[in-house]
Amino acid sequence: MGKVRLAINREVTAGLIARGHRTIRPSAAQVFRGLDRGGTRLTELARRAEITKQSMGSLVAELEADGYLERVPDPADGRAKLVRLTRKGQGLARDITDLGGQVESRLLEGLGARRMQAVRTGLERMLEELGETYRTDWFARGRGE
């Protein structure tokens, strides 16, 4: 399963590079998956990605330097900062969603509708057994829409 995730991630990353997002690396997915619509604190991003705050801080700093993310004051606590997508980051989010859909379509074409649904169902059941939930809305929340 890990190889499938990595292969999909690599394919989407290659597509992003082809669309002009030349500095994006597969590790950026850890940041984008955890973003909420209005922004998310760095500590929460790290918790959701199950990595250290320092590691998440490095990923966010890279994406911020490349213009995909920004840090803004948290309206709930002026001492804290929220990480959120910039306009450039929102474009990236749209491209990721589009490329992910293309990969899914290709898999659907190769596997057929019944097998693809069986794969989805099986993966969702595995997550349930492990006490996880499947988040289908991760990018809709991250785009700031």
Side-chain angles (χ1 to χ4, degrees), residues 75-145:
D77 180 354
R79 299 168 298 170
K81 297 277 188 189
L82 295 176
V83 176
R84 70 179 185 192
L85 294 172
T86 60
R87 284 205 185 278
K88 183 178 178 181
Q90 291 170 11
L92 173 68
R94 284 187 293 275
D95 285 343
I96 290 172
T97 300
D98 180 53
L99 290 162
Q102 288 178 26
V103 170
E104 186 172 342
S105 293
R106 202 169 98 215
L107 291 171
L108 180 61
E109 188 177 305
L111 294 173
R114 277 188 9 182
R115 278 194 181 137
M116 188 69 167
Q117 186 56 48
V119 168
R120 270 197 199 107
T121 301
L123 291 171
E124 288 170 3
R125 285 186 182 152
M126 284 182 211
L127 287 171
E128 288 171 13
E129 287 297 318
L130 296 170
E132 298 289 327
T133 56
Y134 181 65
R135 293 173 50 190
T136 58
D137 65 338
W138 69 276
F139 242 64
R141 292 181 338 201
R143 286 195 300 259
E145 294 175 355

Side-chain angles (χ1 to χ4, degrees), residues 53-82:
K53 182 181 170 188
Q54 292 77 15
S55 295
M56 181 57 73
S58 293
L59 290 171
V60 167
E62 279 181 34
L63 293 165
E64 189 175 24
D66 291 337
Y68 293 108
L69 298 176
E70 64 184 353
R71 297 180 210 218
V72 296
D74 184 341
D77 180 354
R79 299 168 298 170
K81 297 277 188 189
L82 295 176

